[in-house]
Amino acid sequence: MQINSLIDLLRGVWRRRALLPVLLLASCIDRFEPKVAQKSVGYLVIDGAINAAGVSTIRLSRTQNLGNKTAPPAEIKANVFIEQEAGTRYPLAETAPGTYTSAVLTLSPDKRYRLFVRSSGQREYASDFVQAKITPAIDSVTWQISDKGLQFYVNAHDAANNTRYYRWDYEETWDFNSAFRAQIELRNNRLQLLTEDINHCWATARAPSIKLSSTVKLTQDVVTHYPLTLLPSNSTKLQVKYSILVRQYALTAAEFAYWELLQKNTESLGTLFDPLPSQLVGNVHALSDASETVIGFVGVQSVTEQRLFIDRNRDLPRTNAWLPVTGYESCVRVDTILVRNPTGPQDPRYISYFKDNPFAPIEFIDSRTKPAYSYSTAECVDCRKRGTNKQPDFWK
């Protein structure tokens, strides 16, 4: 995810830099369209790490033109393996386009491992062999209410002083309700009672930024009160209940340096005159062509995690400053007959209206002479437009 975010950012930086001469000279010359080099298109991007004590998930994609606004193309139908140096090979299965997942593995910290990829075009790639690191447990994930909102922190340490380089990512999940609770739906060309709840849903988001810390300059391997993320007091995520799952990774010095450079490239560029991003040099190489560029760094470590729940009614202040923005503020419910002289609740014109327009029925308005329906946009009625109505297994 972070790598794809970098690619998106680079597009924006290039556009701003390329636009500068146009703005300066627009009054005296014709519009200038810079020619962008295309040689950076098609590089393999490897996103993920080898989990030494669990399931490894690796995402493969390809870089694309700067002007392309679609998601990077997934690298599908590849053969992906985790290889122990002079030892066992563990396959990863493609569980979604470009996403490859292993079985639950327990890798020895005394051995070295790498990722091997053979593309559908029979090109071979591999990361450097890296010794597996054991990640210490997260001491705690804490939160604190402030004037700015809800601040989350992580605390960790390694009593053996062997970690020194830490990385965290996190996954947020929250539940929410659509603007209106529907009682009916259009199904099989009939307006009938709903068979599932489309008012209550859950949404999930991955961490948008890179979180790193090093204790190399400290006498003890301790990280205290490291700030993870800040939720504004009116955050949409705090409507009902919110959960954050924090994952911790122990890094090697080389892997930390890679993530630190990636962090600078994605977060430090703020103005037109900032320096261009540095070239990312990872530990993945093309075996068939040493000159081919490959983007990514595949580390090998166990992963520790901790989950935290925040309940709005129990944990947050009940003041106007903490009223959440729902995203449904502009939703309007309409009560109308819709059609002239309807023949009944299943009038074909009602069916056509909800079938051919971006609206969803809410409920039937009982009238013997003029049956009608209340409705709104599907976005305001069906929470599945913004998430899923399947409760996560971990939810409580």
Side-chain angles (χ1 to χ4, degrees):
M1 177 188 68
Q2 292 89 348
I3 293 174
N4 289 336
S5 298
L6 170 62
I7 295 170
D8 291 338
L9 181 69
L10 294 180
R11 292 181 185 142
V13 172
W14 171 258
R15 292 193 190 101
R16 293 199 303 273
R17 289 177 178 272
L19 189 59
L20 179 61
V22 180
L23 295 177
L24 295 176
L25 302 176
S27 61
C28 56
I29 64 172
D30 293 334
R31 181 178 178 181
F32 170 66
E33 295 288 350
K35 293 182 179 180
V36 180
Q38 303 297 310
K39 57 191 270 187
S40 62
V41 175
Y43 293 162
L44 180 66
V45 178
I46 298 181
D47 183 11
I50 296 173
N51 189 342
V55 174
S56 299
T57 300
I58 304 293
R59 297 172 182 86
L60 304 181
S61 61
R62 292 280 178 175
T63 58
Q64 57 187 359
N65 292 331
L66 291 174
N68 197 323
K69 298 180 180 180
T70 60
E75 182 72 10
I76 62 174
K77 299 181 180 179
N79 292 317
V80 183
F81 299 89
I82 295 169
E83 296 182 330
Q84 178 183 314
E85 191 172 25
T88 309
R89 197 183 223 198
Y90 307 95
L92 280 73
E94 188 170 14
T95 53
T99 299
Y100 299 82
T101 305
S102 74
V104 177
L105 301 177
T106 301
L107 305 180
S108 171
D110 300 324
K111 305 292 184 181
R112 302 205 309 165
Y113 301 87
R114 73 175 184 180
L115 186 75
F116 174 86
V117 175
R118 181 182 294 112
S119 71
S120 59
Q122 301 305 303
R123 300 185 68 83
E124 295 185 346
Y125 307 86
S127 61
D128 295 336
F129 281 106
V130 178
Q131 190 163 356
K133 292 199 69 171
I134 301 301
T135 300
I138 297 174
D139 289 340
S140 64
V141 177
T142 61
W143 54 276
Q144 181 177 335
I145 291 175
S146 70
D147 294 339
K148 296 181 180 179
L150 198 60
Q151 177 68 60
F152 291 89
Y153 302 92
V154 63
N155 300 279
H157 83 283
D158 183 357
N161 291 330
N162 289 329
T163 301
R164 293 299 181 182
Y165 299 101
Y166 295 82
R167 180 172 75 87
W168 299 274
D169 64 20
Y170 57 87
E171 188 173 272
E172 302 171 286
T173 304
W174 62 96
D175 61 343
F176 63 96
N177 297 306
S178 60
F180 307 110
R181 181 178 291 278
Q183 299 179 9
I184 56 177
E185 65 177 335
L186 178 63
R187 188 174 75 253
N188 299 327
N189 284 326
R190 287 187 61 82
L191 288 160
Q192 48 194 305
L193 291 176
L194 266 167
T195 57
E196 58 181 317
D197 184 0
I198 62 172
N199 172 248
H200 187 201
C201 282
W202 289 261
T204 298
R206 296 177 64 189
S209 57
I210 299 168
K211 302 296 180 180
L212 301 169
S213 184
S214 170
T215 64
V216 169
K217 296 181 180 180
L218 303 178
T219 56
Q220 293 184 313
D221 197 352
V222 178
V223 178
T224 303
H225 231 44
Y226 179 87
L228 277 177
T229 186
L230 173 68
L231 287 180
S233 59
N234 66 346
S235 172
T236 300
K237 300 173 183 178
L238 298 176
Q239 289 183 55
V240 186
K241 184 181 288 186
Y242 167 88
S243 177
I244 183 170
L245 174 66
V246 180
R247 299 185 183 92
Q248 180 168 279
Y249 307 82
L251 308 183
T252 63
E255 188 175 4
F256 183 86
Y258 175 85
W259 281 101
E260 190 173 41
L261 182 57
L262 182 58
Q263 182 186 57
K264 291 177 180 177
N265 283 348
T266 57
E267 297 177 3
S268 296
L269 292 172
T271 72
L272 180 67
F273 302 102
D274 282 338
L276 283 170
S278 304
Q279 175 66 42
L280 286 170
V281 179
N283 70 341
V284 187
H285 315 282
L287 300 183
S288 50
D289 181 1
S291 65
E292 181 180 348
T293 299
V294 186
I295 300 173
F297 196 112
V298 180
V300 185
Q301 63 275 117
S302 60
V303 182
T304 58
E305 59 185 39
Q306 192 171 125
R307 182 179 293 280
L308 184 68
F309 282 90
I310 300 293
D311 187 296
R312 175 175 179 76
N313 292 327
R314 182 191 64 203
D315 301 318
L316 301 181
R318 298 187 179 183
T319 63
N320 289 337
W322 286 84
L323 290 177
V325 174
T326 66
Y328 292 113
E329 282 75 14
S330 62
C331 289
V332 176
R333 170 178 168 146
V334 180
D335 297 306
T336 181
I337 296 176
L338 281 179
V339 299
R340 180 175 296 181
N341 299 321
T343 59
Q346 301 297 330
D347 189 302
R349 290 171 293 177
Y350 281 135
I351 306 300
S352 296
Y353 186 82
F354 290 119
K355 189 176 182 180
D356 300 335
N357 293 287
F359 300 114
I362 298 174
E363 62 180 334
F364 175 66
I365 301 174
D366 191 7
S367 172
R368 293 176 182 271
T369 57
K370 293 183 177 181
Y373 290 94
S374 62
Y375 70 95
S376 185
T377 60
E379 176 75 19
C380 295
V381 174
D382 190 346
C383 64
R384 295 173 299 181
K385 299 292 184 180
R386 303 186 181 188
T388 175
N389 62 350
K390 307 301 181 186
Q391 179 174 301
D393 294 336
F394 59 82
W395 204 255
K396 62 179 183 180

